Amino acid sequence: MTQRPAKPPTRSRRLAPFAPLALAGLLTVALCGQALAHGDVVPQPVDTAGLDKLGETWRDSNPYRGNPRAVEIGASAFNQNCARCHGLGAVSGGIAPDLRYLEKGDAGDEWFKERVTNGSIRNGVTYMPKFGDALGQEALWSIRSWLETVHEE
């Protein structure tokens, strides 16, 4: 009886020991990739029905301050567009500034307007995309109105 030489393992058998490692890598990318990709954020539309239209020119201060409808819209808009980085309830986990400490009133409005219209880019890395054109000032001033309701000193 002639003995055949052993066949080398097939490619799938040679790679089998690495399958758990490959799966772990795919899960890491799937679960963490979005958290690391601040520049790839897709703004979610915000329904601003019930608010006065503000026009094209950005206001220097929040025209909706204290408006209950704006606060309601702002809470939802924040959760849809900002909480990914700034945290639920504006309680940051360290990725982005904790917006509960943003100064109230016109002084805080100035920083807020600058950041939401121009975004934040450092050394070519997008830390926060521009949201001004994507969401409009009605939605963004609503978010600012809500932020003042969760303000902390």
Side-chain angles (χ1 to χ4, degrees):
M1 185 151 115
T2 313
Q3 197 171 19
R4 292 185 177 179
K7 288 185 179 179
T10 63
R11 182 180 175 133
S12 61
R13 278 194 175 159
R14 288 185 301 211
L15 297 177
F18 298 102
L21 184 58
L23 180 60
L26 288 173
L27 286 173
T28 299
V29 169
L31 297 174
C32 300
Q34 287 300 313
L36 301 173
H38 294 98
D40 295 333
V41 176
V42 176
Q44 299 301 303
V46 177
D47 180 4
T48 58
L51 296 176
D52 293 336
K53 298 296 178 204
L54 301 177
E56 295 294 317
T57 304
W58 267 80
R59 307 285 174 98
D60 289 328
S61 63
N62 185 357
Y64 299 141
R65 185 169 284 116
N67 179 324
R69 177 70 179 137
V71 171
E72 179 185 356
I73 291 169
S76 175
F78 182 90
N79 285 333
Q80 294 172 41
N81 291 289
C82 312
R84 167 186 281 174
C85 297
H86 292 282
L88 291 173
V91 178
S92 177
I95 293 175
D98 190 317
L99 297 177
R100 295 173 301 156
Y101 300 107
L102 179 59
E103 198 171 347
K104 288 179 102 173
D106 290 347
D109 290 350
E110 182 180 350
W111 182 89
F112 180 83
K113 175 186 165 187
E114 161 66 24
R115 191 50 52 106
V116 297
T117 58
N118 296 313
S120 176
I121 299 173
R122 282 181 259 147
N123 300 322
V125 176
T126 300
Y127 285 84
M128 179 172 154
K130 298 177 184 182
F131 281 101
D133 291 338
L135 296 181
Q137 69 173 324
E138 289 88 359
L140 290 165
W141 284 127
S142 294
I143 291 170
R144 172 72 172 132
S145 296
W146 175 75
L147 284 171
E148 287 193 336
T149 69
V150 297
H151 175 79
E152 292 190 12
E153 293 295 328

PDB file of all heavy atoms in Angstrom, residues 93 111 142 144:
ATOM      1  N   GLY A  93     -18.420  63.409  28.338  1.00  0.00           N
ATOM      2  CA  GLY A  93     -17.572  62.330  28.822  1.00  0.00           C
ATOM      3  C   GLY A  93     -16.112  62.589  28.527  1.00  0.00           C
ATOM      4  O   GLY A  93     -15.279  61.716  28.654  1.00  0.00           O
ATOM      5  N   TRP A 111     -19.595  82.897  21.840  1.00  0.00           N
ATOM      6  CA  TRP A 111     -18.771  81.695  21.654  1.00  0.00           C
ATOM      7  C   TRP A 111     -19.569  80.623  20.913  1.00  0.00           C
ATOM      8  O   TRP A 111     -19.065  79.974  19.999  1.00  0.00           O
ATOM      9  CB  TRP A 111     -18.308  81.166  23.012  1.00  0.00           C
ATOM     10  CG  TRP A 111     -17.415  79.968  22.883  1.00  0.00           C
ATOM     11  CD1 TRP A 111     -16.059  79.969  22.755  1.00  0.00           C
ATOM     12  CD2 TRP A 111     -17.816  78.587  22.851  1.00  0.00           C
ATOM     13  NE1 TRP A 111     -15.589  78.679  22.645  1.00  0.00           N
ATOM     14  CE2 TRP A 111     -16.656  77.807  22.699  1.00  0.00           C
ATOM     15  CE3 TRP A 111     -19.046  77.942  22.935  1.00  0.00           C
ATOM     16  CZ2 TRP A 111     -16.678  76.423  22.643  1.00  0.00           C
ATOM     17  CZ3 TRP A 111     -19.071  76.557  22.874  1.00  0.00           C
ATOM     18  CH2 TRP A 111     -17.885  75.820  22.728  1.00  0.00           C
ATOM     19  N   SER A 142     -32.192  77.330  19.138  1.00  0.00           N
ATOM     20  CA  SER A 142     -33.032  76.497  20.006  1.00  0.00           C
ATOM     21  C   SER A 142     -32.175  75.627  20.908  1.00  0.00           C
ATOM     22  O   SER A 142     -32.457  75.473  22.103  1.00  0.00           O
ATOM     23  CB  SER A 142     -33.968  75.621  19.171  1.00  0.00           C
ATOM     24  OG  SER A 142     -34.890  76.408  18.476  1.00  0.00           O
ATOM     25  N   ARG A 144     -29.182  76.320  21.861  1.00  0.00           N
ATOM     26  CA  ARG A 144     -28.602  77.241  22.841  1.00  0.00           C
ATOM     27  C   ARG A 144     -29.624  77.562  23.943  1.00  0.00           C
ATOM     28  O   ARG A 144     -29.276  77.618  25.127  1.00  0.00           O
ATOM     29  CB  ARG A 144     -28.147  78.516  22.132  1.00  0.00           C
ATOM     30  CG  ARG A 144     -27.693  79.620  23.044  1.00  0.00           C
ATOM     31  CD  ARG A 144     -26.355  79.306  23.687  1.00  0.00           C
ATOM     32  NE  ARG A 144     -25.885  80.481  24.408  1.00  0.00           N
ATOM     33  CZ  ARG A 144     -25.422  80.469  25.642  1.00  0.00           C
ATOM     34  NH1 ARG A 144     -25.312  79.331  26.291  1.00  0.00           N
ATOM     35  NH2 ARG A 144     -25.038  81.558  26.223  1.00  0.00           N
TER      36      ARG A 144
END
